[in-house]
Amino acid sequence: MTENPVEIRWHGRGGQGAKTACLLLADAAFSSGKYVQGFPEYGPERMGAPVTAYNRISDTRCTVHSNIYGPDYVIVVDETLLASVDVTHGLSEQGAIVVNTSRSPEEIRPLLNGYAGQVCTIDARRISEETLGKNFPNTPMLAAAVKVSGVVAPERFIADMEASFQHKFAHKPQVIAGNMDALTKSMQEVRFG
């Protein structure tokens, strides 16, 4: 990574965990020795309303403290936002967009306002239902963000997340295995287009 931070913008809906995934990515990057920022953009937050969150990850201290207008990567936790939010606004064509969908990158590209950069997709709903028993798309989307952006080495990310889950779910250890399965499966199933 260069001295310039990698900037990531997350788009989701209230209650889907986009903010949580953003903060978990910041924690994982910090644990690997990076300087990080992870923050949501607050508006009239309510269940189902569009939400935005941001990450800056760098090898050097970052002195910029604003929203991200020209992200390197965009993570879309809810495919329905493609019809109502300009998720590619400002997105670098040297970066990528990652969309939670059962569709292929080729099927999603026409919905992205002419974006010519890399399009990646992952079926986070299916993966979370298979590994966690419910639709929790943020865990698979977190792994997809790491896989596509490369901001944290995959092996380090998996080890750090396992330690984090062991702490977070100390009183519910049965939840750890499903979350770890969701992460590893997601890193294997990202489709690049």
Side-chain angles (χ1 to χ4, degrees):
M1 192 183 311
T2 66
E3 285 192 21
N4 294 326
V6 171
E7 296 183 325
I8 301 171
R9 187 173 64 215
W10 296 76
H11 291 279
R13 292 193 181 277
Q16 291 179 323
K19 179 184 117 176
T20 300
C22 168
L23 298 177
L24 285 170
L25 178 57
D27 286 347
F30 180 77
S31 293
S32 70
K34 306 284 186 191
Y35 290 90
V36 300
Q37 294 177 2
F39 54 98
E41 178 178 38
Y42 285 108
E45 306 305 315
R46 62 191 186 283
M47 190 70 85
V51 297
T52 310
Y54 306 92
N55 288 112
R56 278 194 186 90
I57 301 170
S58 179
D59 289 330
T60 58
R61 186 175 303 279
C62 183
T63 57
V64 176
H65 298 282
S66 68
N67 286 354
I68 293 171
Y69 302 102
D72 300 294
Y73 300 95
V74 166
I75 313 301
V76 182
V77 181
D78 189 315
E79 176 184 8
T80 65
L81 290 170
L82 299 179
S84 59
V85 175
D86 184 4
V87 296
T88 59
H89 181 74
L91 176 58
S92 168
E93 292 195 352
Q94 283 69 54
I97 185 168
V98 183
V99 180
N100 172 14
T101 180
S102 61
R103 297 192 272 177
S104 71
E106 294 75 23
E107 292 173 290
I108 290 297
R109 186 174 294 282
L111 307 176
L112 299 178
N113 299 323
Y115 177 66
Q118 187 168 54
V119 177
C120 303
T121 61
I122 182 164
D123 193 345
R125 177 185 194 109
R126 180 187 50 77
I127 292 169
S128 67
E129 287 175 349
E130 287 174 4
T131 58
L132 302 169
K134 286 181 102 172
N135 183 18
F136 292 121
N138 63 335
T139 301
M141 293 308 290
L142 170 62
V146 169
K147 174 77 174 190
V148 172
S149 69
V151 294
V152 179
E155 311 77 34
R156 175 73 188 255
F157 168 72
I158 293 294
D160 287 346
M161 289 309 300
E162 186 165 25
S164 174
F165 288 152
Q166 286 173 348
H167 175 75
K168 182 178 181 180
F169 299 122
H171 299 295
K172 295 192 279 184
Q174 69 278 11
V175 177
I176 298 169
N179 276 283
M180 293 309 300
D181 287 347
L183 291 174
T184 54
K185 189 172 192 130
S186 298
M187 292 188 96
Q188 296 164 357
E189 292 191 21
V190 175
R191 292 166 290 189
F192 292 82

